[in-house]
């Protein structure tokens, strides 16, 4: 789909690939995708909008959606594949190449990619109008996924969302990161996994120390009374 939605740090979403075979996890380890929003939405849309009726979250390529960004004339920040993970090792490379061929034809837009598998970025060439993000929702992910963004020539960012832990301050990696996003869990797990103030403070401290623009999502407001910053990379 190419719907407008209130992600906050992006204007549109574009989902030429949906679905994911990310790990299931448990309520105790929700960073392993247990509360996946995309999975819940796909179940709700089962049998409609291209979501298969029998298994709506199975990785699915939607070639009919490829043309959408070319139809959006106004320069736009587009979040690519909000309804899955385009860089899981189960995704056929030709799906990713098809997406990138459209990105190249649309230099007026900025395409934001976000994955839990950022090492896959290194297997492809991304034009400069791509920003490459990695989810860093836990201590482990904040170390490994930040490290995986090294040496990429694009704007790179870390998404601390949902913030589930005191994240690791990866002093080496933060030198090559260009932006950070921080947000809280929403939906069924929200009450059980509220972010602590010192976790948020730690990320603000990191951003200040490394002179990084930071985007604090509105869903943090119930947990944070301090300064609220919403910045993008220059
Ligand atoms: S889309 Fe993201 S959160 Fe959902 S199952 Fe896949 S990797 Fe996990």
């Amino acid at each position: 789909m190419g719907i407008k939605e209130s992600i906050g740090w992006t204007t549109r979403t574009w989902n030429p690939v949906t679905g994911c075979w990310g790990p299931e996890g448990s309520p105790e380890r929700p960073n392993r995708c247990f509360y996946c929003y995309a999975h819940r939405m796909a179940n709700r849309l089962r049998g409609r909008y291209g979501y298969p009726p029998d298994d709506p979250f199975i990785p699915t390529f939607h070639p009919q959606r490829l043309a959408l960004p070319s139809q959006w004339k106004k320069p736009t920040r587009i979040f690519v594949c909000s309804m899955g993970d385009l860089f899981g090792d189960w995704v056929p490379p030709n799906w990713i190449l098809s997406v990138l061929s459209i990105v190249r034809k649309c230099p007026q837009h900025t395409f934001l990619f976000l994955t839990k598998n950022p090492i896959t970025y290194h297997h492809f060439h991304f034009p400069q109008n791509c920003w490459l993000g990695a989810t860093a929702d836990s201590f482990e992910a904040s170390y490994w996924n930040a490290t995986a963004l090294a040496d990429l020539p694009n704007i790179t960012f870390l998404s601390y969302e949902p913030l589930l832990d005191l994240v690791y301050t990866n002093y080496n990696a933060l030198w090559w990161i260009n932006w950070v996003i921080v947000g809280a869990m929403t939906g069924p797990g929200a009450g059980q996994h509220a972010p602590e103030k010192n976790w948020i403070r730690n990320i603000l401290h990191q951003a200040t120390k490394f002179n990084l623009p930071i985007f604090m999502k509105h869903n943090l407001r119930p947990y944070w009374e301090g300064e609220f910053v919403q910045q993008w990379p220059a």
Side-chain angles (χ1 to χ4, degrees):
M1 279 183 289
I3 54 173
K4 287 193 179 196
E5 58 181 56
S6 58
I7 288 173
W9 45 268
T10 188
T11 313
R12 280 186 183 270
T13 56
W14 173 44
N15 281 288
V17 172
T18 57
C20 180
W21 280 337
E24 282 292 313
S26 69
E28 291 72 39
R29 299 287 293 163
N31 55 315
R32 307 317 296 161
C33 310
F34 188 77
Y35 294 109
C36 176
Y37 165 83
H39 200 162
R40 285 203 312 278
M41 276 303 290
N43 281 338
R44 207 177 296 169
L45 298 172
R46 171 188 299 270
R48 295 181 289 150
Y49 305 109
Y51 293 93
D54 46 340
D55 187 356
F57 205 48
I58 194 170
T60 306
F61 184 44
H62 304 273
Q64 72 281 10
R65 297 180 185 174
L66 283 174
L68 281 172
S70 328
Q71 295 162 10
W72 301 329
K73 298 300 173 210
K74 192 173 155 202
T76 302
R77 267 192 302 264
I78 301 169
F79 179 17
V80 185
C81 294
S82 62
M83 291 295 291
D85 193 323
L86 184 60
F87 299 97
D89 58 9
W90 56 86
V91 178
N94 62 319
W95 294 6
I96 300 173
L97 291 171
S98 298
V99 169
L100 289 177
S101 74
I102 300 299
V103 166
R104 280 193 193 88
K105 288 179 189 155
C106 296
Q108 75 274 29
H109 299 315
T110 303
F111 293 86
L112 285 78
F113 295 85
L114 181 61
T115 181
K116 287 192 163 132
N117 304 283
I119 205 75
T120 311
Y121 286 147
H122 294 268
H123 301 155
F124 296 89
H125 175 261
F126 293 85
Q128 282 304 300
N129 59 335
C130 296
W131 295 3
L132 306 180
T135 301
D137 51 3
S138 66
F139 189 84
E140 292 92 336
S142 56
Y143 177 79
W144 292 110
N145 289 357
T147 306
L149 293 177
D151 298 328
L152 291 165
N154 300 69
I155 287 183
T156 56
F157 63 98
L158 279 179
S159 172
Y160 297 115
E161 188 192 14
L163 185 60
L164 299 170
D165 208 345
L166 181 65
V167 296
Y168 181 78
T169 304
N170 190 333
Y171 284 103
N172 288 328
L174 285 170
W175 288 114
W176 59 70
I177 304 289
N178 304 107
W179 188 34
V180 293
I181 296 167
V182 56
M185 180 174 280
T186 53
Q192 205 182 339
H193 300 288
E196 294 183 9
K197 283 193 178 55
N198 64 318
W199 302 350
I200 302 169
R201 197 174 297 116
N202 171 49
I203 291 172
L204 281 167
H205 178 71
Q206 287 182 16
T208 306
K209 191 172 173 66
F210 287 85
N211 205 18
L212 286 172
I214 182 166
F215 189 97
M216 299 174 76
K217 289 197 62 174
H218 284 293
N219 59 27
L220 274 184
R221 285 207 187 266
Y223 314 105
W224 183 250
E225 292 114 27
E227 188 189 6
F228 211 84
V229 192
Q230 292 193 323
Q231 301 164 324
W232 282 267

